[in-house]
Amino acid sequence: MRLLLAILVAGVVAAGVSAADPVPPVPQDKLIDRLIEGLKDPDPDVRQNLAVALAKVGPAAVEPLVTALSDSLPERRAGVAYALGQIGTPARSALPKLLDALDDKEVDVRRQAAYAISRLVPTGSVKPTQPPGGGK
């Protein structure tokens, strides 16, 4: 066990990596833009991971994501919808655009929009317009 630890420490030291090395900060707007840009990737796993990262950014990502729902690339539109669903209730302002996305010609965009809507519509938020039994 000690040998393994010594090899690991030697490798870290040799690589010049230190736990004290700070990660340089990335401005939030640049981070959001870059993550949204990456949503055009044709690999659904890449898009899913970027969407999860956008969800970690939180509400600050909602407005740029809503804007990106109008992108010409269906992969990006689908990734954006998924990201909004991952953000959850703070992304409720995106509901009108997500409802529009249900008419997208691309099935993956419609699927992801439906997923996002399922995460954003609050339980019990829609009340029946008629009493049960049709008002009889």
Side-chain angles (χ1 to χ4, degrees):
M1 183 66 172
R2 286 184 184 169
L3 178 60
L4 180 59
L5 182 59
I7 292 171
L8 180 61
V9 169
V12 169
V13 170
V17 176
S18 167
D21 289 343
V23 175
V26 177
Q28 189 174 40
D29 58 336
K30 287 186 180 189
L31 175 65
I32 292 169
D33 290 346
R34 182 61 187 105
L35 294 174
I36 291 173
E37 173 68 22
L39 289 174
K40 71 179 179 183
D41 195 287
D43 183 339
D45 290 337
V46 171
R47 292 194 311 266
Q48 180 179 6
N49 289 324
L50 292 173
V52 170
L54 281 158
K56 288 180 178 182
V57 171
V62 172
E63 188 178 327
L65 283 167
V66 170
T67 300
L69 267 175
S70 302
D71 196 274
S72 62
L73 294 171
E75 295 86 1
R76 187 170 294 139
R77 293 193 308 273
V80 163
Y82 182 78
L84 288 165
Q86 287 292 301
I87 291 172
T89 55
R92 282 195 183 138
S93 63
L95 271 171
K97 291 287 189 178
L98 288 165
L99 290 169
D100 290 345
L102 292 174
D103 295 326
D104 199 285
K105 66 180 181 177
E106 298 292 331
V107 68
D108 196 36
V109 176
R110 295 192 308 271
R111 279 187 189 131
Q112 298 305 336
Y115 162 78
I117 292 166
S118 76
R119 303 254 317 187
L120 301 182
V121 172
T123 302
S125 64
V126 180
K127 304 294 181 202
T129 56
Q130 294 182 7
K136 295 182 180 183

